[in-house]
Amino acid sequence: MKSCVVIGMGRFGREVSRRLCEFGCEVMAMDLRSELVQQISGEVTHAVVADAKDKEVLRTLDVQDFDCAIVAVGDNLADSVLTTMNLKELKVPYIVCKARDETHRQVLEKLGADRVVIPEQENAARLARSLSSPNVLDYIELSDEYGIVETPAPKRWIGKTLRELNVRAKLGVNIIAIRRNGRINVAPGGDFFMEDGDVIVVLGDTDSLTTVQNL
């Protein structure tokens, strides 16, 4: 199970927290505003009232032991910067930050954030899906039930043709493209052999895509 701490329970932070829990992650939600923490407490693993600008508070909460931290306080540049610096100093493995504009994005990237998102460009569901599995390179939500995921080809598929794998019948998904050595093969045929290092782009419902990611 992947563990994430989400800092900032505004609309974006709440939605990311909920979605991560739906995808099976352990989630600690954090905010200074007790009313917002109370609202989310029944939907996440842990919910705490805490000041992420205080590095010792973060250390006490063991945020350094989480796989990922999401800084969702993008409306306040100073708070966002200080929180990100604290997380970097505590050596949190992967830090995702919300930014309000491109200038904010550049500042956070210079601080060492691993990924910076602008909510108007990337929705919470897509971010949560991509963070919930270490194998997901990208996820596009088509509806509440269907999506497209980009993920490394499962090891057990290597050396087999798409006809042998027959993923549409066995798993209920469609391989719509395969990326190999920087080149994209769209709608590959049944004789296409899977090779180590291939990245597949798969269309299917949420449950089927999760099965593919876990192979």
Side-chain angles (χ1 to χ4, degrees):
M1 178 187 294
K2 195 165 187 178
S3 59
C4 301
V5 54
V6 184
I7 301 169
M9 288 297 105
R11 184 173 60 180
F12 186 75
R14 291 196 304 272
E15 183 65 14
V16 170
S17 298
R18 293 187 184 109
R19 291 285 187 159
L20 285 170
C21 282
E22 288 176 7
F23 297 142
C25 295
E26 175 188 353
V27 176
M28 180 168 72
M30 183 188 309
D31 200 290
L32 261 177
R33 296 161 291 184
S34 58
E35 65 276 12
L36 295 182
V37 172
Q38 185 174 3
Q39 289 173 16
I40 195 69
S41 61
E43 302 179 70
V44 296
T45 315
H46 309 286
V48 296
V49 178
D51 186 358
K53 301 188 300 299
D54 188 328
K55 184 170 63 176
E56 292 310 311
V57 168
L58 294 178
R59 194 194 307 276
T60 300
L61 292 170
D62 295 324
V63 298
Q64 63 274 12
D65 296 333
F66 284 76
D67 298 315
C68 174
I70 300 99
V71 182
V73 291
D75 293 337
N76 188 309
L77 179 57
D79 288 356
S80 174
V81 167
L82 188 52
T83 299
T84 302
M85 290 174 60
N86 288 339
L87 295 169
K88 288 295 292 184
E89 290 181 22
L90 290 172
K91 295 182 170 52
V92 175
Y94 194 80
I95 301 171
V96 180
C97 296
K98 169 190 168 185
R100 63 189 182 193
D101 52 36
E102 288 297 329
T103 300
H104 192 177
R105 180 203 293 271
Q106 292 172 16
V107 171
L108 294 169
E109 288 176 343
K110 288 183 182 298
L111 287 173
D114 298 284
R115 181 172 175 180
V116 181
V117 299
I118 298 176
E120 289 75 14
Q121 300 174 4
E122 180 168 10
N123 67 35
R126 180 177 178 181
L127 174 61
R129 166 64 73 176
S130 65
L131 293 176
S132 64
S133 170
N135 295 325
V136 174
L137 302 178
D138 196 10
Y139 177 77
I140 300 172
E141 184 179 41
L142 301 177
S143 70
D144 289 341
E145 298 179 356
Y146 286 89
I148 297 173
V149 69
E150 182 178 354
T151 184
K155 293 296 183 184
R156 65 179 70 176
W157 290 9
I158 306 306
K160 297 181 179 180
T161 66
L162 295 183
R163 183 173 291 107
E164 290 176 302
L165 293 171
N166 196 16
V167 296
R168 180 182 296 178
K170 294 179 180 178
L171 299 173
V173 299
N174 291 281
I175 297 177
I176 58 177
I178 296 176
R179 178 156 52 87
R180 176 181 295 169
N181 299 323
R183 300 183 63 181
I184 299 288
N185 188 314
V186 178
D191 294 329
F192 191 96
F193 269 94
M194 301 298 297
E195 295 183 0
D196 192 25
D198 283 352
V199 173
I200 56 174
V201 182
V202 187
L203 168 68
D205 63 62
T206 301
D207 291 340
S208 298
L209 292 177
T210 299
T211 298
V212 172
Q213 294 158 31
N214 292 331
L215 288 176

